Amino acid sequence: MNTWPNNNRRALTQCEHEVWNAKNYPGTRQLCKECGDPTGRCEDDSIYKDDIGPLCEECEETDIG
């Protein structure tokens, strides 16, 4: 699991995000639990279905399990 740069939780600029993501895959991107693709979402708007997630919109629409 990733940690914050220098263990200092703070907002990052777009440039800092790009560098952080490049060095720490998947960086701050949220990955779908089912397919592994980026969800395009963040912790605040994550999609969960039957306590499984986070999910992308495509996997949310399919039967899970």
Side-chain angles (χ1 to χ4, degrees):
M1 176 174 251
N2 292 334
T3 59
W4 288 91
N6 301 321
N7 292 318
N8 181 14
R9 186 173 179 162
R10 61 183 176 79
L12 300 175
T13 66
Q14 290 298 320
C15 291
E16 289 172 323
H17 256 149
E18 185 176 343
V19 170
W20 181 254
N21 288 344
K23 291 181 181 177
N24 298 279
Y25 182 82
T28 55
R29 292 185 294 173
Q30 184 182 73
L31 301 179
C32 178
K33 180 76 172 179
E34 289 295 305
C35 68
D37 289 340
T39 65
R41 295 175 173 265
C42 67
E43 187 175 309
D44 292 338
D45 63 353
S46 298
I47 298 172
Y48 282 79
K49 184 176 180 181
D50 299 327
D51 293 328
I52 298 172
L55 300 171
C56 65
E57 292 178 11
E58 290 80 18
C59 288
E60 177 196 21
E61 295 173 2
T62 62
D63 286 335
I64 299 172

